[in-house]
Amino acid sequence: MDIFQQNYKQKLEETMIGYVQAKEMPSTIKEAMVYSLQAGGKRIRPVLLLAVIEGFKKDPKLGLKTAAALEMIHTYSLIHDDLPSMDDDDLRRGKPTNHKVFGEAMAILAGDGLLTHSFGLIAEDPLITSDQKVKLIGLLARFAGPEGMVGGQVADIEGENKKLSVEELETIHVHKTGKLLIFSVLAGAVIAGADEEEQTMLERFAYHIGLAFQIQDDILDIEGTEELIGKRIGSDESKQKSTYPGLLTIDGAKKKLQFHFDEALDSLNGLDMDTGLLKQISHLIVNRNH
Amino acid sequence: MDIFQQNYKQKLEETMIGYVQAKEMPSTIKEAMVYSLQAGGKRIRPVLLLAVIEGFKKDPKLGLKTAAALEMIHTYSLIHDDLPSMDDDDLRRGKPTNHKVFGEAMAILAGDGLLTHSFGLIAEDPLITSDQKVKLIGLLARFAGPEGMVGGQVADIEGENKKLSVEELETIHVHKTGKLLIFSVLAGAVIAGADEEEQTMLERFAYHIGLAFQIQDDILDIEGTEELIGKRIGSDESKQKSTYPGLLTIDGAKKKLQFHFDEALDSLNGLDMDTGLLKQISHLIVNRNH
């Protein structure tokens, strides 16, 4: 897993940053876009996408551009979420957020630019068919847009300073982070030529791993160290955001984490593919300390 | 022209608004998106796109979804441009701007949602081929993104409070408004199956008509009436923005407008298509009072 991740992490970053660097545009927005693309992160979505392709014994390189598009979408969403009118965060992965460095207007435009480029990247991919591209672009719009991630951010903002139920909290996370994780595995499946049934099982896997991921995030916000997670500890609490530990206690949250982890692994069992990498990624998500 | 425009304006609005209404998403963002899509406007980009298809004797209906996508992109750009950190406008087409009604966070997300949906709309179009969709999506990303419209907005912001040359002002407009007008005619050409040479001539037409459009905008900001143009008169001047009349005098600006108008009509002459509608649209752009 480590070798797979390291290997593709570098190729992924070259693909994303190379794409932006090669385009003619005002230097400030190029800098702002590259700044956030280079800010690191776990690249968990691209790695999931590529691991699905590898699991079906196809060449992960076929998914590099879609994986880059996916990480661009994720990056744009972080830039916009951090804005003063949204979560108002100063720090992201231990570095000043985009608007802190480039100003609010440029951060909005850099996000718009990355969102737009992500669709362009898929459209220009020479390694997959037009039918595959159209399918991927349709899915990406659905899972990243108002029905998916953008809708989750709306629900998140509207849920602030409110006492939410666990179900409401879950709906927020399923949209805000879950949908893009589901896109990750579905995109891998589309590129590898997986059938409908396989896609459904992978979707179920990603649904549960997404919730596990989010619960672990909430736990780390309490138990983690600022140095490791790269943002202020207790920032959820200070913003009066509902969290799993807040609603269920730390122990209850850890039990729920284990439940979704087990369900995720269970979803993989019915699949006729090599699920070794996907299992390793799942363990990584649950056991991470940042 | 009037009948053509009226007929397709309504179909276009049904396509855009119907698309958003049919999707499941939080009601606030749906309201915010529909609010700006319904705010009216000349729909000049979709009308150009459909007029090109009609000019090649193909059914304009083939371009309805792409035209709707194009107008969604235009609408998102207006929402983001009006934000407090950008142009900080309270009024657009005589109505309060999106963030004045829904707040800044929701306006940013409504813009993100429209931008994302526009690519989804093209991807889901049942009337054109996958190859055409991929071509259109690639072009849209190029002309609407950092190389095009978004880059133009960056240059516009960076040009504020500076004395620009006419060339610098032109570069801003070519990107900020021109590129999406060029996409309008190219998209029509792609859908109608026009060849490379025809595309080049249409691109030249759109380049000049775009500049004519912008110069007329600047003139209206001085000579127009607030009631007709739906925003404050003299708002460019009060924001210290460079304008054609400011750099060239009103008479100089009117001469330049005539030059680009003539060039635009000249570009149409070499084309083996019915250019009647395109000529009518050109006249409309130059003689409009709002």
Side-chain angles (χ1 to χ4, degrees), chain A residues 4 8 45-68 70 125 127-128 132 136 183-194 202 205 271-278 281:
Chain A
F4 180 84
Y8 280 104
R45 292 156 194 80
V47 168
L48 267 175
L49 189 158
L50 300 171
V52 168
I53 300 177
E54 171 103 345
F56 283 112
K57 310 279 182 220
K58 296 279 163 68
D59 188 349
K61 279 201 197 81
L62 294 174
L64 256 184
K65 286 205 195 288
T66 305
L70 172 59
D125 190 343
L127 301 179
I128 56 176
Q132 283 175 314
L136 291 168
F183 174 79
S184 310
V185 299
L186 285 184
V190 167
I191 293 168
L202 282 168
F205 162 73
L271 278 161
D272 185 22
M273 65 183 285
D274 181 350
T275 56
L277 272 173
L278 293 177
I281 296 170

Coordinates of all heavy atoms in Angstrom, one line a residue, chain A residues 4 8 45-68 70 125 127-128 132 136 183-194 202 205 271-278 281:
Chain A
F4 N 2.5 1.7 -3.3 CA 1.4 2.1 -4.3 C 1.1 3.6 -4.1 O 1.1 4.3 -5.1 CB 0.2 1.2 -4.1 CG -0.9 1.5 -5.0 CD1 -1.0 1.0 -6.3 CD2 -2.0 2.4 -4.6 CE1 -2.0 1.3 -7.2 CE2 -3.0 2.7 -5.5 CZ -3.0 2.1 -6.8
Y8 N 2.0 6.6 -6.8 CA 0.9 7.3 -7.5 C 0.7 8.7 -7.0 O 0.2 9.6 -7.7 CB -0.4 6.5 -7.6 CG -0.2 5.4 -8.6 CD1 0.0 4.1 -8.3 CD2 -0.3 5.8 -10.0 CE1 0.2 3.2 -9.3 CE2 -0.1 4.9 -11.0 CZ 0.1 3.6 -10.6 OH 0.3 2.7 -11.6
R45 N -8.8 10.1 -2.0 CA -9.7 9.9 -3.1 C -9.1 9.3 -4.3 O -9.5 8.3 -4.9 CB -10.5 11.2 -3.4 CG -11.4 11.5 -2.2 CD -11.8 13.0 -2.1 NE -12.4 13.3 -0.9 CZ -11.7 13.5 0.3 NH1 -10.4 13.5 0.3 NH2 -12.3 13.8 1.4
P46 N -8.0 10.0 -4.8 CA -7.3 9.4 -6.0 C -6.8 8.0 -5.7 O -6.8 7.2 -6.6 CB -6.1 10.4 -6.2 CG -6.6 11.7 -5.6 CD -7.5 11.3 -4.4
V47 N -6.2 7.8 -4.5 CA -5.7 6.5 -4.2 C -6.8 5.4 -4.3 O -6.6 4.3 -4.8 CB -4.9 6.5 -2.8 CG1 -4.6 5.1 -2.4 CG2 -3.6 7.3 -3.0
L48 N -7.9 5.8 -3.7 CA -9.1 4.8 -3.8 C -9.4 4.5 -5.3 O -9.6 3.4 -5.7 CB -10.3 5.5 -3.2 CG -10.6 5.1 -1.7 CD1 -11.8 6.0 -1.2 CD2 -10.8 3.6 -1.5
L49 N -9.5 5.6 -6.1 CA -9.9 5.4 -7.5 C -8.8 4.5 -8.2 O -9.2 3.5 -8.9 CB -9.9 6.8 -8.2 CG -10.4 6.9 -9.6 CD1 -10.8 8.4 -9.9 CD2 -9.4 6.5 -10.7
L50 N -7.6 4.8 -8.0 CA -6.5 4.0 -8.7 C -6.5 2.5 -8.1 O -6.2 1.6 -8.9 CB -5.2 4.7 -8.5 CG -5.1 6.1 -9.1 CD1 -3.8 6.8 -8.7 CD2 -5.2 6.0 -10.6
A51 N -6.8 2.4 -6.8 CA -6.7 1.1 -6.2 C -7.9 0.2 -6.8 O -7.7 -1.0 -6.9 CB -6.8 1.2 -4.7
V52 N -9.0 0.8 -7.1 CA -10.1 0.0 -7.7 C -9.7 -0.5 -9.1 O -9.9 -1.7 -9.4 CB -11.4 0.8 -7.8 CG1 -12.4 0.2 -8.7 CG2 -12.0 1.1 -6.4
I53 N -9.0 0.4 -9.8 CA -8.6 -0.1 -11.2 C -7.6 -1.2 -11.1 O -7.7 -2.2 -11.7 CB -8.0 1.1 -12.0 CG1 -9.0 2.2 -12.1 CG2 -7.4 0.7 -13.3 CD1 -8.5 3.5 -12.8
E54 N -6.6 -1.0 -10.2 CA -5.6 -2.0 -9.9 C -6.2 -3.3 -9.5 O -5.8 -4.4 -9.9 CB -4.6 -1.5 -8.8 CG -3.6 -2.5 -8.3 CD -2.2 -2.4 -8.8 OE1 -2.1 -1.6 -9.8 OE2 -1.3 -3.0 -8.3
G55 N -7.3 -3.2 -8.6 CA -8.0 -4.4 -8.1 C -8.6 -5.2 -9.2 O -8.7 -6.4 -9.1
F56 N -9.0 -4.5 -10.3 CA -9.6 -5.2 -11.5 C -8.5 -5.6 -12.5 O -8.9 -5.9 -13.6 CB -10.7 -4.3 -12.1 CG -12.0 -4.3 -11.4 CD1 -12.4 -3.2 -10.7 CD2 -12.8 -5.5 -11.3 CE1 -13.7 -3.1 -10.0 CE2 -14.0 -5.4 -10.6 CZ -14.4 -4.3 -10.0
K57 N -7.3 -5.5 -12.1 CA -6.2 -5.9 -12.9 C -6.0 -5.1 -14.2 O -5.7 -5.6 -15.3 CB -6.3 -7.4 -13.3 CG -6.5 -8.4 -12.1 CD -5.2 -8.7 -11.4 CE -5.4 -9.7 -10.3 NZ -4.6 -9.3 -9.1
K58 N -6.4 -3.9 -14.1 CA -6.2 -2.9 -15.2 C -5.1 -2.0 -14.8 O -4.7 -1.9 -13.6 CB -7.5 -2.1 -15.6 CG -8.6 -3.0 -16.0 CD -8.5 -3.4 -17.5 CE -9.3 -4.5 -18.0 NZ -10.7 -4.2 -17.9
D59 N -4.5 -1.2 -15.8 CA -3.4 -0.3 -15.5 C -4.0 0.9 -14.8 O -4.7 1.7 -15.4 CB -2.7 0.0 -16.8 CG -1.5 0.8 -16.6 OD1 -1.2 1.3 -15.4 OD2 -0.7 1.0 -17.5
P60 N -3.5 1.2 -13.6 CA -4.0 2.4 -12.8 C -3.7 3.7 -13.6 O -4.4 4.7 -13.4 CB -3.2 2.4 -11.5 CG -2.8 1.0 -11.3 CD -2.6 0.4 -12.7
K61 N -2.7 3.7 -14.5 CA -2.4 4.9 -15.3 C -3.7 5.4 -16.0 O -3.8 6.6 -16.3 CB -1.3 4.6 -16.3 CG 0.1 4.7 -15.7 CD 1.1 4.9 -16.7 CE 2.5 4.5 -16.2 NZ 2.7 3.1 -16.3
L62 N -4.5 4.5 -16.4 CA -5.8 4.8 -17.1 C -6.6 5.8 -16.3 O -7.5 6.5 -16.9 CB -6.6 3.6 -17.4 CG -6.0 2.6 -18.4 CD1 -6.9 1.3 -18.5 CD2 -5.9 3.2 -19.8
G63 N -6.4 5.8 -15.0 CA -7.3 6.6 -14.1 C -6.6 7.9 -13.6 O -7.2 8.7 -12.9
L64 N -5.3 8.1 -14.1 CA -4.6 9.2 -13.5 C -5.2 10.6 -13.7 O -5.3 11.4 -12.8 CB -3.2 9.3 -14.1 CG -2.0 8.7 -13.2 CD1 -0.7 8.9 -13.9 CD2 -2.0 9.5 -11.9
K65 N -5.7 10.8 -14.9 CA -6.3 12.2 -15.2 C -7.6 12.3 -14.4 O -7.9 13.4 -13.9 CB -6.5 12.4 -16.7 CG -5.2 12.6 -17.4 CD -5.4 13.4 -18.6 CE -4.1 13.4 -19.5 NZ -3.0 14.2 -18.9
T66 N -8.4 11.3 -14.4 CA -9.7 11.4 -13.6 C -9.4 11.5 -12.1 O -10.0 12.3 -11.4 CB -10.6 10.1 -13.8 OG1 -10.8 10.0 -15.2 CG2 -11.9 10.3 -13.1
A67 N -8.3 10.8 -11.6 CA -7.9 11.0 -10.2 C -7.5 12.4 -9.9 O -7.8 13.0 -8.9 CB -6.8 10.0 -9.9
A68 N -6.7 13.0 -10.9 CA -6.3 14.4 -10.7 C -7.5 15.3 -10.7 O -7.5 16.3 -9.9 CB -5.3 14.7 -11.9
L70 N -10.5 14.6 -9.8 CA -11.1 14.4 -8.5 C -10.5 15.2 -7.3 O -11.1 15.8 -6.5 CB -11.1 12.9 -8.2 CG -11.5 12.3 -6.9 CD1 -13.0 12.7 -6.6 CD2 -11.4 10.8 -7.0
D125 N -8.6 13.7 -21.7 CA -7.9 12.5 -21.4 C -7.8 11.6 -22.7 O -8.8 11.2 -23.2 CB -8.6 11.7 -20.3 CG -7.8 10.5 -19.8 OD1 -6.9 10.1 -20.4 OD2 -8.2 10.0 -18.7
L127 N -6.6 8.6 -22.9 CA -6.5 7.1 -22.6 C -7.9 6.4 -22.5 O -7.9 5.2 -22.4 CB -5.6 6.9 -21.4 CG -4.2 7.4 -21.4 CD1 -3.5 7.0 -20.1 CD2 -3.5 6.7 -22.6
I128 N -8.9 7.2 -22.3 CA -10.2 6.5 -22.2 C -11.2 7.0 -23.3 O -10.9 8.0 -24.0 CB -10.9 6.8 -20.8 CG1 -11.0 8.3 -20.5 CG2 -10.0 6.2 -19.7 CD1 -11.7 8.7 -19.2
Q132 N -16.8 6.8 -21.9 CA -16.4 6.7 -20.5 C -16.3 8.1 -20.0 O -16.7 8.4 -18.8 CB -15.0 6.0 -20.4 CG -15.1 4.5 -20.5 CD -13.7 3.9 -20.5 OE1 -12.8 4.3 -21.2 NE2 -13.5 2.8 -19.7
L136 N -18.2 9.6 -16.7 CA -17.5 10.1 -15.6 C -17.8 11.6 -15.3 O -18.0 11.9 -14.1 CB -15.9 10.0 -15.9 CG -15.3 8.6 -15.9 CD1 -13.9 8.7 -16.5 CD2 -15.3 8.0 -14.5
F183 N -17.9 8.7 -5.6 CA -17.4 8.9 -6.9 C -16.0 8.3 -7.2 O -15.8 7.7 -8.2 CB -17.3 10.4 -7.3 CG -16.7 10.7 -8.6 CD1 -17.4 10.5 -9.8 CD2 -15.4 11.0 -8.7 CE1 -16.9 10.7 -11.0 CE2 -14.8 11.2 -10.0 CZ -15.5 11.1 -11.1
S184 N -15.2 8.3 -6.2 CA -13.8 7.8 -6.3 C -13.9 6.3 -6.8 O -13.2 5.9 -7.7 CB -13.0 7.8 -5.0 OG -13.1 9.1 -4.5
V185 N -14.6 5.5 -6.1 CA -14.7 4.1 -6.4 C -15.5 3.8 -7.7 O -15.1 3.0 -8.5 CB -15.2 3.2 -5.2 CG1 -14.3 3.3 -4.0 CG2 -16.6 3.5 -4.9
L186 N -16.5 4.6 -7.9 CA -17.3 4.4 -9.1 C -16.5 4.8 -10.3 O -16.6 4.1 -11.4 CB -18.6 5.2 -9.1 CG -19.7 4.7 -8.2 CD1 -21.0 5.6 -8.3 CD2 -20.1 3.3 -8.5
A187 N -15.8 5.8 -10.2 CA -14.9 6.2 -11.4 C -13.9 5.1 -11.7 O -13.7 4.8 -12.9 CB -14.2 7.6 -11.1
G188 N -13.3 4.6 -10.7 CA -12.4 3.5 -10.9 C -13.1 2.3 -11.6 O -12.6 1.7 -12.5
A189 N -14.3 2.0 -11.1 CA -15.1 0.9 -11.7 C -15.4 1.2 -13.2 O -15.3 0.3 -14.0 CB -16.4 0.7 -10.9
V190 N -15.8 2.4 -13.5 CA -16.2 2.8 -14.9 C -14.9 2.7 -15.8 O -15.0 2.1 -16.9 CB -16.7 4.3 -15.0 CG1 -16.8 4.8 -16.4 CG2 -18.1 4.4 -14.3
I191 N -13.8 3.1 -15.3 CA -12.6 3.0 -16.1 C -12.1 1.6 -16.3 O -11.6 1.2 -17.3 CB -11.5 3.9 -15.5 CG1 -11.9 5.4 -15.5 CG2 -10.1 3.7 -16.1 CD1 -11.1 6.3 -14.7
A192 N -12.3 0.8 -15.2 CA -11.9 -0.6 -15.3 C -12.9 -1.5 -16.1 O -12.7 -2.7 -16.3 CB -11.7 -1.2 -13.9
G193 N -14.1 -0.9 -16.4 CA -15.1 -1.7 -17.1 C -15.9 -2.6 -16.2 O -16.4 -3.7 -16.6
A194 N -16.1 -2.3 -14.9 CA -16.8 -3.2 -13.9 C -18.3 -3.1 -14.3 O -18.8 -2.1 -14.8 CB -16.6 -2.7 -12.5
L202 N -19.3 -1.7 -4.6 CA -18.2 -0.7 -4.3 C -18.8 0.6 -3.7 O -18.2 1.3 -2.9 CB -17.4 -0.3 -5.6 CG -16.4 -1.4 -6.0 CD1 -15.9 -1.2 -7.4 CD2 -15.2 -1.4 -5.0
F205 N -19.4 0.0 -0.1 CA -18.1 0.1 0.6 C -17.7 1.5 0.8 O -17.4 1.9 1.9 CB -17.0 -0.6 -0.3 CG -15.6 -0.2 0.0 CD1 -15.0 -0.7 1.2 CD2 -14.9 0.6 -0.8 CE1 -13.7 -0.3 1.5 CE2 -13.6 1.0 -0.5 CZ -13.0 0.5 0.7
L271 N -17.0 -9.2 -3.8 CA -16.5 -8.7 -5.1 C -15.4 -9.7 -5.7 O -14.5 -10.2 -5.0 CB -15.8 -7.4 -4.9 CG -16.8 -6.2 -4.9 CD1 -16.1 -5.0 -4.2 CD2 -17.2 -5.8 -6.3
D272 N -15.6 -9.9 -7.0 CA -14.6 -10.7 -7.8 C -13.5 -9.9 -8.3 O -13.4 -9.6 -9.5 CB -15.4 -11.4 -8.9 CG -14.4 -12.4 -9.6 OD1 -13.4 -12.8 -9.0 OD2 -14.7 -12.7 -10.8
M273 N -12.7 -9.4 -7.3 CA -11.5 -8.6 -7.7 C -10.5 -8.7 -6.5 O -10.9 -9.2 -5.5 CB -12.0 -7.1 -7.9 CG -12.5 -6.5 -6.6 SD -13.1 -4.8 -6.7 CE -11.5 -3.8 -6.9
D274 N -9.3 -8.2 -6.8 CA -8.3 -8.2 -5.7 C -8.6 -7.0 -4.8 O -8.4 -5.9 -5.2 CB -6.9 -8.1 -6.3 CG -5.8 -8.1 -5.2 OD1 -6.2 -8.0 -4.0 OD2 -4.7 -8.2 -5.6
T275 N -9.1 -7.3 -3.6 CA -9.5 -6.2 -2.7 C -8.4 -5.8 -1.7 O -8.6 -5.0 -0.7 CB -10.8 -6.5 -2.0 OG1 -10.6 -7.7 -1.3 CG2 -11.9 -6.6 -2.9
G276 N -7.2 -6.4 -1.9 CA -6.1 -6.2 -0.9 C -5.8 -4.7 -0.6 O -5.8 -4.3 0.5
L277 N -5.6 -3.9 -1.7 CA -5.3 -2.5 -1.5 C -6.5 -1.8 -0.8 O -6.2 -0.9 0.0 CB -5.1 -1.9 -2.9 CG -3.6 -1.9 -3.4 CD1 -3.6 -1.4 -4.9 CD2 -2.7 -1.1 -2.6
L278 N -7.7 -2.1 -1.2 CA -8.9 -1.4 -0.7 C -8.9 -1.6 0.8 O -9.3 -0.8 1.6 CB -10.1 -1.8 -1.4 CG -10.3 -1.3 -2.8 CD1 -11.6 -1.8 -3.4 CD2 -10.2 0.2 -2.9
I281 N -6.3 0.4 2.6 CA -6.7 1.8 2.7 C -7.7 2.0 3.8 O -7.7 2.9 4.6 CB -7.3 2.3 1.3 CG1 -6.2 2.3 0.2 CG2 -7.9 3.7 1.5 CD1 -6.8 2.5 -1.2

